[in-house]
Structure formats: C-alpha cells, structure tokens
Amino acid sequence: MKTYARITAGVLAMMMVGCSSNAPAATATPAASATPEAAETGTGVYTVWNTTGEKITDLYIYDGEDKGQNFAEDGLQNNASVEITLEDVPADSEFVLEFKTEGGYTGAFETLHVEETAIAIPAADTLTGATPIVFGEPELKAAYTLYNATGENVTEVYLYEEGADKGENYAADGMEDGASFVIETTAKASETGAKVYHLEYTTESGRTGEFVTLHFETVPISLLAEDAMTGATPISFTKPE
C-alpha cells in the first residue's frame, strides 16, 4: 500500500507539472497613456474711447515684440471709439495696450487681461495716478464756443436736446457783438451718437436764428449777421476773424 501511494503521488505531480507548462503565459496590460488637456482659450473685446482731447495716431494691443496692427488707422478723433476683438487667445494672456497722440503724449498699460470691457484713454493732466487708462464706459464732454458775429447784441441763446424744454437762456445778461462764451454738456459715451441739439438765438432787433441738427461735439460756432449768411443757415462752424 505504501508503494502504491508513492507511485500515485509521483504521477499526480508529473500531471500537475504538465498542465502548468501548457497554460498560456500571462500578458502584461500596458498602462493607458495620458491625453494632455487643450489649453483654455477666450476672446477679448475692448471698446477703446479717446478722451485725451486730441487725435490718437497710434493704438496697439499686443503680447510680443511685434506690435501688429495699428488700431487707430488714420487717426482716432477725440470722443471717438474703436472696438478691438482678439479671438481664440490663451485665457491667461496678458496684453500691452500702447498709444500715442498727435501732440506726442504716449502711454502704455502692460497687464490687459482677456475680457470684454470699455476703456477710456484720458488726457494726461486728468490722470490721478500712473495708470494711463480708465476701465469702464466714460462720460464725454461736448463744448460749443459761441461767437456773436451778428453785428448787434444777442439777448437770447438756447441750446437744448431735441424734444426737451429750452431751459437756460445763456445770454440772459446780454451778449455784445464780438463777445463769446462756451456752453458745455456731458453724456455717457454710448449715448452721444444719438444726441441731437437745437441752437436758437435772438438779437436785440428781434431777428431770430435756429439750427436744429447740432451733434454732440466740440466746435466753434459763429452766430451770423443776416447779410453774412450764404443760405438759410444762420450759423457757421468757424471762429470769426
């Protein structure tokens, strides 16, 4: 019995070895390769307003040594704006905004982020710090310098928005021939394009003049004598000699 047990155990051992040699070898599963995430991009939209009081000749927004396009093109007039759009740029970008005016005033802001915002470039003498720009929609100023070139005293001058009351008589104290004064008004930048004003005046002799399509701007205006008019318009956008 003992001999049989030993033979049987030996046969079983050989069978186990044979079975293990016929089993397929284990195959290692390669680790999944990581896919890099695409960098987040965004679009910057900048509405830049010129409130320097003069024309801007150079305007750039860039993030490298190459300044690229001059967004002022042929010149950005005072109180005018330009919308600049930078599409599909890295969301964490920082741009340089750089400008130069016709009079040689220059400035740069070096940490402009990717966002949608209004930006005002103010006059150098109105800055309250080192930053040469102001974020947010600016309030613009229109100025009308009126000259009395009628040849007589002017007793009434009204400047009012279309549809509104006449309001203040700017010549209530009298405006002598040859005299001048300035009328100023302000408005939000986005509202100025739709504003239309009426200008009316009356002379001491009772002659009246009216101009009903005055826009939001800074201009000289001469109140003309009747014999100086070349048509129906009783004013000219010039300073008299």
Side-chain angles (χ1 to χ4, degrees):
M1 293 294 295
K2 291 181 180 180
T3 303
Y4 176 78
R6 284 199 294 272
I7 294 171
T8 304
V11 171
L12 289 173
M14 291 178 64
M15 290 175 64
M16 291 177 66
V17 170
C19 290
S20 63
S21 63
N22 293 331
T27 303
T29 303
S33 58
T35 303
E37 294 184 3
E40 185 179 352
T41 61
T43 298
V45 182
Y46 313 97
T47 303
V48 183
W49 289 90
N50 177 10
T51 61
T52 63
E54 56 179 320
K55 183 166 68 175
I56 290 178
T57 57
D58 298 82
L59 178 62
Y60 300 95
I61 294 181
Y62 60 97
D63 65 348
E65 294 182 1
D66 183 10
K67 293 182 180 180
Q69 179 182 352
N70 178 8
F71 294 103
E73 295 183 344
D74 297 328
L76 185 63
Q77 300 294 333
N78 186 52
N79 283 358
S81 68
V82 59
E83 184 177 285
I84 301 170
T85 301
L86 305 179
E87 295 181 331
D88 296 328
V89 295
D92 59 353
S93 296
E94 288 189 346
F95 296 97
V96 177
L97 185 153
E98 185 178 317
F99 66 88
K100 179 180 179 181
T101 70
E102 196 170 36
Y105 167 47
T106 62
F109 182 78
E110 299 181 351
T111 55
L112 186 63
H113 296 139
V114 180
E115 57 188 320
E116 183 172 348
T117 185
I119 299 171
I121 302 177
D125 58 4
T126 65
L127 297 177
T128 56
T131 305
I133 67 173
V134 177
F135 286 95
E137 182 182 358
E139 190 169 78
L140 304 183
K141 179 175 68 176
Y144 310 95
T145 304
L146 271 59
Y147 298 90
N148 182 1
T150 64
E152 56 179 319
N153 289 343
V154 170
T155 58
E156 295 180 34
V157 172
Y158 297 98
L159 179 69
Y160 57 96
E161 195 169 349
E162 188 176 73
D165 293 334
K166 290 184 178 181
E168 179 183 356
N169 175 10
Y170 292 98
D173 296 329
M175 183 183 187
E176 296 181 353
D177 182 45
S180 66
F181 58 75
V182 179
I183 301 175
E184 294 183 340
T185 185
T186 60
K188 285 289 186 181
S190 60
E191 300 172 357
T192 59
K195 288 191 176 294
V196 179
Y197 298 92
H198 289 204
L199 174 65
E200 296 181 14
Y201 67 89
T202 302
T203 68
E204 198 169 36
S205 66
R207 188 174 71 85
T208 62
E210 183 180 28
F211 187 80
V212 298
T213 55
L214 188 61
H215 298 292
F216 190 95
E217 55 192 326
T218 296
V219 289
I221 298 175
S222 291
L223 311 180
L224 300 176
E226 192 168 12
D227 58 5
M229 293 167 52
T230 57
T233 305
I235 67 171
S236 70
F237 291 97
T238 58
K239 178 181 178 181
E241 295 181 3

